[in-house]
Amino acid sequence: MTQTLVNKTPQPVPVEREQRYERLAALAQRHGALAVLALVVVVSSAVFPSFPTAENANGVAIQSSFLAIVALGMTFVIITGGIDLSVGSVFALGGVLAAYASQWGPLPALLLPLAVCGAIGLLQGVLIAYTGMAPFIVTLAGLLGARGLLLAITEEGANTYLVPKDSAFLELGQGTLFGVGYPVYLAVLLFALGGVLLQRTRYGQAVFAVGGSPDAAALMGLPVARIRVLTYLLSGLLAGFAGVLNASRLSSGVTILGVGLELDAIAAVVIGGTLLIGGAGTVSGTLCGVLLLGVIQNVINQIGSLNSSYQSVVSGGFLIVVVVVQTGLSRRRHLR
Amino acid sequence: MSQPVLDVRGVSKRFPGVLALDDVSLTVAPGEVHALVGENGAGKSTLIKILTGVYRPDAGDVFYRGEPVAFGRPLDAQAAGISTIYQEVNLVPLMSVARNLFLGREPRTRFGLIDVARMNREAGEQLARYGIEVDVRLPLRSLGLGAQQMVALARAVAVDARVVIMDEPTSSLEPREVDTLFRVVRELSGRGIAIVYVSHRLDELYQLCDRVTVLRDGRRVHTGALAQLDRLSLISLMLGRDAAEVRRDGLTGFSAHDAGDVEPILRVRNLSRAHQLHGISFEVRPGEVTGLGGLLGSGRSETAKAVVGALGADGEVTMAGRRLTRRSPAAAIRAGMAMLPEDRKAEGIVPGLSVRENIVLAAMPTLSRFGVVSRAKQDRIVDTFMKRLRIKAASPEQKVSELSGGNQQKVLLARWLCLNPRLLLLDEPTRGIDVGAKAEVQALIDELAADGLAVVLISSDLEELVEGADRIVVLRAGAVVGELAGDDVTEDNIMTALAQEPAHD
């Protein structure tokens, strides 16, 4: 009978190198979008004299603020490992409901859309969290449903509700402070709150845990289903609020708005370094992603000779680069 | 013994068709390290799931600190003070070490926000107590598995646990990490925390545990002080066989082959894989059944998978005199190897396809010409094998999912045999099939070997192994601890080999 010793040589673990790599990867993930944004701004400022003006910057900021608010909710959803395709339709529905309710005053114009859009988000969240249906399918149904509801309210788009000219509601989207529109301040404020919510509250930590490893989160005693419901509720509320702001800015509820907005929001979130599979991401990255999309559009408009549709081509290219880099980073991890 | 902290009385649990636990009792005292052992299907995991609130018992009671309890979900058990450390680390790899440690119970400032500075400081202190010095702000995945396991343990204990259940906590740890874990376990037991320790590694049990409960087929077969039970007795309790019974003639359909000094067709040299396989070497001769024996977790299946390239490993595999350089399942098939995996539902059978389709699946490339598969050729092959293997199906077009387990196994066997392999690796070929079909599959294996095929047989059924194999390579903890041939192939000898004190410590 032969006897073999159990081989007891421990593998040397290059802890130092691994951890340094982790730090670099985290840095690239968190601040990659910011670095690219800074680069694009610097180059554009040098090339186009009309780019680095206060007026132009203000324009980019106000145009980006609506997408930014929608993308904020999307960031939370994607970090939980989900997706919310309904936000474009919900955004449009929120706008129409705000314009419709503005005849009764500014408060109903704010509360009615938030209630309806919140309810849509809540319903989607409940379906996803408690029936185990795929977020993609549930929110696709939400996209179609909200758009249908919108068309029903406006008689297939035949009615466009206008905000009364003297309504205080118009102040929300059109008012300015130090020459900068209110929507910009609101977006910045919401992002600050969102950052605190994500990084410094138990709910935020649970969002990361649910996306990073739902089984582990459940075993650690986190209320996984409730976290999911809250997250889709948040996304619905934010999309609705962005719609309200937009209606106030345009003085009317435009039915055809928001088609494909969900895709811009997803693109901004992913460009901002949030993992599409969930578990990691930042709201500051999303803000950079939104601004990057806004600046690209602005620059292409500056070039003049280029059709503005090229904006999508460039944004798409960025998206591919970001995803390739992300995949590369995580593949190296798996190989170690 | 002081008042038990955990007292399980006569618990039964039935699943459709199986009595998973049958009147099982278990008592654990504060500060005791209690080993819970048993082979696959003995009911260990069902018992653990009842203790942690995943399942509810059909009969019997669980008393915790003197009170009857019925946990509805894992969270309730945890809140009451019964924590579980799973085999796979159940934490969130992307989140920082500190956040994992405090998830769901983070320290907060008076504004209700998480006090990150305090959390990181306390996390560092807690881990330092267990001898883990890391930057707690780094993501958990940047730590080694051992350190991750320690974070899980620190988390489990930090929630004021009175009982910690550890389900094979060392299965993916380095020896050095195991030492650290043991130190922590002893410290916990010194603080009066009761530990239920599940492991297949006997060495660990004897190093760590005070008492042992052995489960077999859902029943408790023994409880007592571990020190009074020698290794051989423990193994025979787990496997349910004793030396006298073993010497009796077997009941299986196997007979002996004499391969004599035929040149080996498969030579495996020094197969190694971190944590799992440690320098495994053996040879397989044509016309002979070579058994791979060992307890669960000894590396039997891993060895077979490594040989066919389904699992990455270092070492040399030589097939029919040619060394396989780039190992992959495709290369193994080309070299003439065929493997029947352990879990035929997950890894082999395609339930929605017919018997014919399942049989010719792997042979498609050789049966087709310019991508077109000749139906006549297919039918001929399928017919031959259905007859030869005595596959009982209404027709070749019957869906495989409608066949019995034994016949499904034969379909899989047929699939590999139509490739004309020279080496067949069978991982638990008779698991989950009824007694009659079992003997038939065994007889078939016998016939194939007699026809000159080299067969590697993996089985946790000792009787099957002893009856079926002409030679047995005994594995323990991923290393070869013995090789038996001829008259030495007895259950007694296998158990002796398994029970040997490890030579290194």
Side-chain angles (χ1 to χ4, degrees), chain A residues 84-265:
Chain A
D84 189 350
L85 299 180
S86 71
V87 290
S89 296
V90 170
F91 169 81
L93 180 63
V96 169
L97 287 172
Y100 177 72
S102 65
Q103 52 183 309
W104 303 308
L107 208 56
L110 184 62
L111 294 184
L112 176 71
L114 286 185
V116 173
C117 297
I120 292 174
L122 186 69
L123 178 66
Q124 294 184 137
V126 167
L127 286 174
I128 290 163
Y130 291 102
T131 69
M133 280 197 270
F136 186 93
I137 300 300
V138 172
T139 60
L140 181 61
L143 179 155
L144 298 171
R147 184 65 67 182
L149 198 59
L150 169 75
L151 291 174
I153 298 172
T154 59
E155 321 238 338
E156 306 274 319
N159 285 346
T160 302
Y161 298 107
L162 295 177
V163 181
K165 286 226 160 27
D166 54 349
S167 174
F169 175 60
L170 293 175
E171 213 22 42
L172 191 63
Q174 297 177 4
T176 60
L177 181 67
F178 308 122
V180 179
Y182 284 169
V184 178
Y185 290 110
L186 287 168
V188 170
L189 178 69
L190 285 172
F191 266 80
L193 290 176
V196 171
L197 184 65
L198 190 61
Q199 295 295 339
R200 299 293 292 275
T201 65
R202 289 186 178 176
Y203 162 74
Q205 293 310 297
V207 165
F208 281 113
V210 167
S213 175
D215 294 340
L219 283 173
M220 282 195 271
L222 298 180
V224 175
R226 202 188 324 152
I227 299 298
R228 287 212 168 104
V229 173
L230 281 175
T231 304
Y232 285 91
L233 170 66
L234 183 70
S235 178
L237 283 174
L238 285 170
F241 183 63
V244 171
L245 282 184
N246 200 38
S248 165
R249 181 169 171 74
L250 301 177
S251 310
S252 67
V254 182
T255 50
I256 54 162
L257 280 180
V259 175
L261 185 69
E262 62 280 351
L263 301 181
D264 286 340

Side-chain angles (χ1 to χ4, degrees), chain B residues 9-45:
Chain B
R9 295 186 197 160
V11 158
S12 297
K13 178 75 188 172
R14 179 179 291 280
F15 294 112
V18 225
L19 191 57
L21 283 182
D22 184 3
D23 194 23
V24 169
S25 297
L26 171 77
T27 55
V28 190
E32 177 187 348
V33 184
H34 196 111
L36 182 62
V37 297
E39 278 291 87
N40 241 355
K44 290 177 317 232
S45 40

Side-chain angles (χ1 to χ4, degrees), chain A residues 5-7, chain B residues 270-280 477-480:
Chain A
L5 284 185
V6 176
N7 187 350
Chain B
N270 227 351
L271 212 55
S272 296
R273 177 180 163 87
H275 316 314
Q276 290 179 326
L277 303 176
H278 307 283
I280 289 188
V480 177

Side-chain angles (χ1 to χ4, degrees), chain B residues 31-331:
Chain B
E32 177 187 348
V33 184
H34 196 111
L36 182 62
V37 297
E39 278 291 87
N40 241 355
K44 290 177 317 232
S45 40
T46 310
L47 183 58
I48 292 176
K49 283 179 177 161
I50 283 176
L51 293 179
T52 53
V54 178
Y55 296 151
R56 277 161 190 263
D58 295 332
D61 297 294
V62 178
F63 291 84
Y64 172 62
R65 301 171 75 185
E67 304 281 326
V69 287
F71 301 118
R73 41 195 187 130
L75 184 53
D76 299 339
Q78 219 175 71
I82 301 182
S83 285
T84 314
I85 307 289
Y86 298 91
Q87 191 172 358
E88 304 288 322
V89 179
N90 260 293
L91 296 172
V92 188
L94 283 170
M95 295 179 77
S96 82
V97 175
R99 287 180 192 267
N100 265 293
L101 199 52
F102 281 97
L103 198 61
R105 46 182 194 90
E106 295 90 347
R108 291 190 281 197
T109 63
R110 61 204 148 94
F111 304 111
L113 298 181
I114 296 171
D115 190 341
V116 176
R118 196 175 128 208
M119 184 172 75
N120 286 342
R121 198 180 56 239
E122 286 183 4
E125 288 167 9
Q126 281 187 18
L127 290 178
R129 240 178 285 148
Y130 299 122
I132 311 267
E133 302 275 354
V134 289
D135 182 348
V136 295
R137 292 164 303 174
L138 285 179
L140 182 82
R141 61 158 182 231
S142 65
L143 266 54
L145 274 173
Q148 292 190 22
Q149 194 68 270
M150 222 65 74
V151 175
L153 188 61
R155 185 185 156 85
V157 175
V159 293
D160 195 25
R162 305 295 179 107
V163 178
V164 176
I165 299 168
M166 307 181 82
D167 189 0
E168 300 223 36
T170 57
S171 56
S172 49
L173 299 194
E174 306 271 357
R176 186 171 35 87
E177 297 170 329
V178 172
D179 292 342
T180 313
L181 184 81
F182 282 9
R183 215 183 53 231
V184 175
V185 169
R186 287 195 191 100
E187 192 197 309
L188 296 180
S189 120
R191 276 166 38 194
I193 295 171
I195 288 153
V196 177
Y197 193 88
V198 180
S199 178
H200 293 290
R201 300 187 178 176
L202 298 191
D203 312 349
E204 293 183 358
L205 299 181
Y206 279 97
Q207 272 184 51
L208 207 57
C209 300
D210 308 316
R211 292 200 306 149
V212 61
T213 291
V214 183
L215 297 182
R216 193 177 66 234
D217 300 328
R219 276 189 294 274
R220 183 182 69 165
V221 293
H222 179 82
T223 294
L226 189 58
Q228 290 163 14
L229 199 65
D230 62 53
R231 283 162 185 260
L232 193 56
S233 315
L234 180 59
I235 290 174
S236 50
L237 280 168
M238 286 165 68
L239 300 178
R241 326 200 51 84
D242 59 52
E245 191 186 339
V246 164
R247 289 196 193 89
R248 214 182 54 205
D249 285 336
L251 303 157
T252 52
F254 289 117
S255 61
H257 310 281
D258 190 11
D261 0 289
V262 184
E263 200 49 23
I265 187 157
L266 175 76
R267 278 203 172 93
V268 175
R269 285 276 167 278
N270 227 351
L271 212 55
S272 296
R273 177 180 163 87
H275 316 314
Q276 290 179 326
L277 303 176
H278 307 283
I280 289 188
S281 303
F282 62 94
E283 290 172 350
V284 181
R285 291 181 182 77
E288 191 183 67
V289 179
T290 304
L292 287 185
L295 295 174
L296 199 69
S298 58
R300 298 172 312 202
S301 301
E302 288 77 5
T303 302
K305 281 188 179 162
V307 167
V308 300
L311 194 72
D314 297 331
E316 265 179 54
V317 174
T318 314
M319 179 71 190
R322 274 189 44 227
R323 186 176 162 195
L324 302 185
T325 43
R326 289 180 60 188
R327 287 212 293 277
S328 70

Side-chain angles (χ1 to χ4, degrees), chain B residues 376-403:
Chain B
K377 227 190 236 173
Q378 273 189 43
D379 286 340
R380 211 160 48 238
I381 287 178
V382 170
D383 189 56
T384 316
F385 280 106
M386 282 183 71
K387 278 202 186 110
R388 185 167 162 210
L389 303 188
R390 299 179 290 273
I391 296 174
K392 289 190 199 76
S395 87
E397 302 309 317
Q398 192 179 7
K399 271 193 185 171
V400 146
S401 53
E402 295 166 4
L403 301 189

